[in-house]
Amino acid sequence: QQQVKQSPQSLIVQKGGISIINCAYENTAFDYFPWYQQFPGKGPALLIAIRPDVSEKKEGRFTISFNKSAKQFSLHIMDSQPGDSATYFCAASEGAQKLVFGQGTRLTINP
Amino acid sequence: GAVVSQHPSRVICKSGTSVKIECRSLDFQATTMFWYRQFPKKSLMLMATSNEGSKATYEQGVEKDKFLINHASLTLSTLTVTSAHPEDSSFYICSAAGGSANEKLFFGSGTQLSVL
């Protein structure tokens, strides 16, 4: 019940395309859903986060779509750039505290 | 956004020695910090929750005598890997809740520990 399942494991997108990463959770008590970007040898950097009272949140080229009934949420990266190549993690928690992470998605943007 | 500083970024030590890793919240106070461990190409696994002024709470399977956590102030938590062995080699990352209402979780830059 504590798991967060993330897919795909790896993703290759052409420059300018849309990158989509999906996550599903089981614990209905989760109320905080962040996405993190991680480069090799670095800690995760918070990209964007959403609470279950909204279905979508957009910040620049990054959008979270949230489906409470399906217990799923996704990250969309518009106009993907080579600099977006990194590993992306979704996560979930009760409050912004004890996060449970997805398995990660290695995103590669081809020039 | 809030800044979490972690030091050192990389440490190499001999088997049997102890290593201390520091995690500081630079521009906010953090009553709670979290320590994670990450193996290559794997996800982050929560090791323990560090509470200022009280004992840390460890996740199942994490040896509290191996991984000593001290949270002596509102801006500093330390993780000490005692009597380190090669299997303790990993990437260790701390995090702390920040934002106007502690609604966001920020991570340090991580510490790569290599035990020879």
Side-chain angles (χ1 to χ4, degrees), chain B residues 22-70:
Chain B
E22 292 187 348
C23 180
R24 295 180 184 272
S25 55
L26 294 186
D27 52 358
F28 65 101
Q29 294 183 331
T31 55
T32 304
M33 292 185 177
F34 304 90
W35 287 94
Y36 288 82
R37 183 174 182 175
Q38 185 178 31
F39 290 105
K41 299 183 180 180
K42 296 295 184 182
S43 188
L44 287 79
M45 299 299 295
L46 180 66
M47 298 175 64
T49 301
S50 170
N51 303 296
E52 188 268 335
S54 64
K55 291 183 178 180
T57 303
Y58 291 82
E59 295 300 302
Q60 191 173 11
V62 178
E63 299 177 61
K64 61 180 181 181
D65 295 331
K66 159 69 78 175
F67 301 101
L68 299 180
I69 292 173
N70 183 276

Side-chain angles (χ1 to χ4, degrees), chain A residues 5-8 20-24 35 73-76 90 105:
Chain A
K5 296 183 179 180
Q6 183 173 345
S7 63
I20 302 175
I21 306 171
N22 301 298
C23 282
W35 284 90
F73 58 109
S74 61
L75 175 69
H76 291 62
C90 64
T105 297

Side-chain angles (χ1 to χ4, degrees), chain A residues 32 36 38 41-46 49 51 57 59 89 95-104 106, chain B residues 32 34 36 38 41-46 49 59 91 93 95 97 102-110:
Chain A
Y32 177 67
Y36 289 88
Q38 186 179 32
K42 302 294 183 183
L46 178 64
R51 298 273 182 186
K57 183 175 181 180
E59 290 185 0
F89 291 97
Q97 298 291 323
K98 193 171 168 179
L99 287 173
V100 178
F101 281 84
Q103 294 82 358
R106 300 190 78 182
Chain B
T32 304
F34 304 90
Y36 288 82
Q38 185 178 31
K41 299 183 180 180
K42 296 295 184 182
S43 188
L44 287 79
M45 299 299 295
L46 180 66
T49 301
E59 295 300 302
F91 193 55
I93 316 172
S95 69
N102 285 348
E103 78 283 12
K104 299 180 181 180
L105 206 59
F106 298 95
F107 283 80
S109 54

Side-chain angles (χ1 to χ4, degrees), chain A residues 49-68:
Chain A
I50 198 168
R51 298 273 182 186
D53 52 344
V54 296
S55 59
E56 185 174 282
K57 183 175 181 180
K58 183 176 181 179
E59 290 185 0
R61 296 186 294 110
F62 301 96
T63 300
I64 297 180
S65 296
F66 185 81
N67 186 328
K68 188 175 181 178

Side-chain angles (χ1 to χ4, degrees), chain B residues 7-21:
Chain B
H7 180 81
S9 59
R10 181 178 295 272
V11 58
I12 301 173
C13 69
K14 292 183 179 180
S15 184
T17 61
S18 294
V19 175
K20 180 184 284 189
I21 303 169

